[in-house]
Amino acid sequence: MSEEELEILTKIRNNYTEKVTEINLLESQENLLYDETQNLVIFDGYNLNYIECVFQVNQTKDAYILLSYLQSNINTGRRNSIGNGLHLVGFKKLTTNFARIFIRPQTFEDSINDFFNPTELKFKENPKFSKQFYIHSNNEMALYNFLNSNRVTNMLPYKDLILEVNEFDLFLKFPMALDEETFSKLINLLKEL
């Protein structure tokens, strides 16, 4: 970890004690971060190579922010917008199985591709949301159940949000690697989603 990253982590540890609790990595194994075989939950787009620390969001008790070395395996629509390295990643255990959902910022290339080969799901109830985000799911009904008006309203201000749902597990990520603003955004979204 660089000196700058260590300084940011120290600020986070000092400034967010009322909103999050840093927990031991072994405690996180008993919660949502690991599956029944004790393997770390891995999402399609990312591999968590190493977890530096885990923060539990106090208000929800089922949401976590990880500081992890992240390796991106996906095209986020923007060249080098994620990259590999130390990132803040939000996880939350959901109470409903929402199948597979992937939401990321919409790009010009997405619009062109969708014109010739429509694969993206459109959220008709909120055209602004559909225009802002690329939306994909393997279960359209689950997607529409997940994207209720409250969730859509809470997600709209975050134009750079990357969200993935794998059945009961929610994954949130922003392009910024490590900063206090991203940490604060993750806390807010994990509480609202």
Side-chain angles (χ1 to χ4, degrees), residues 36 55 60 67 96-98 137 152 158 162 178 180 193:
E36 58 280 349
F55 297 93
T60 63
L67 180 58
T96 304
N97 182 341
F98 289 108
S137 177
V152 168
Y158 303 102
I162 298 166
L178 174 59
E180 283 190 80
L193 299 179

Side-chain angles (χ1 to χ4, degrees), residues 58-77:
N58 292 341
Q59 293 84 350
T60 63
K61 305 278 191 217
D62 60 355
Y64 299 85
I65 298 174
L66 309 179
L67 180 58
S68 174
Y69 289 92
L70 196 66
Q71 180 180 351
S72 174
N73 300 322
I74 59 168
N75 174 7
T76 61

